[in-house]
């Protein structure tokens, strides 16, 4: 597994704790979910629909959809575009993207 290290950034030093798969993960204010998970070496963000293989953030700019996660019970969130907030609950997205019905 590739490991990432944070660069010093004194302007973003406030610590935030959120949950990933029920475990606490420490992030910095301004992190996206994908950034925080990479910095914590938390592993895959989702598994594929066909083989179930593990996937993780790749483009970090909303193009590849490899970072799909469930955030506070809402599936299909792109981890690279969602800012971490205190107490947020994030889970891996398993299998295909979830199709949501339109609200009446
Ligand atoms: S990492 Fe590519 S869309 Fe999020």
């Amino acid at each position: 597994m590739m490991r990432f290290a944070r660069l010093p950034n004194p302007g973003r030093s406030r610590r935030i704790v959120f949950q990933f798969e029920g475990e606490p993960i420490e992030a910095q204010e301004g992190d996206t979910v994908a950034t925080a998970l990479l910095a914590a070496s938390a592993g895959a963000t989702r598994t594929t629909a066909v083989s179930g293989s593990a996937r993780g953030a790749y483009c970090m700019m909303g193009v590849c959809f490899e970072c799909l996660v469930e955030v506070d019970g809402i599936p299909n969130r792109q981890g690279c575009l969602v800012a971490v907030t205190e107490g947020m609950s994030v889970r891996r997205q398993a299998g295909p993207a979830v199709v949501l019905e339109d609200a009446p």
Side-chain angles (χ1 to χ4, degrees):
M1 175 190 307
M2 183 178 285
R3 299 188 67 88
F4 293 86
R6 290 183 181 276
L7 297 174
N9 190 346
R12 289 180 45 191
S13 58
R14 192 169 86 84
R15 182 177 162 259
I16 291 175
V17 177
F18 69 105
Q19 302 287 314
F20 180 61
E21 295 293 323
E23 298 293 323
I25 299 280
E26 188 172 312
Q28 289 183 355
E29 185 175 36
D31 280 354
T32 65
V33 169
T35 301
L37 293 177
L38 287 171
S41 298
T45 56
R46 71 178 188 95
T47 56
T48 63
V50 175
S51 69
S53 63
R55 296 288 195 223
Y58 181 69
C59 73
M60 300 300 282
M61 59 183 186
V63 176
C64 73
F65 288 78
E66 295 290 10
C67 62
L68 288 183
V69 288
E70 179 184 302
V71 176
D72 291 333
I74 302 172
N76 303 331
R77 302 296 309 272
Q78 288 172 277
C80 67
L81 300 181
V82 176
V84 168
T85 59
E86 186 74 39
M88 173 185 273
S89 176
V90 178
R91 295 208 165 269
R92 287 189 180 95
Q93 184 151 322
V98 177
V99 177
L100 301 174
E101 300 293 326
D102 288 336

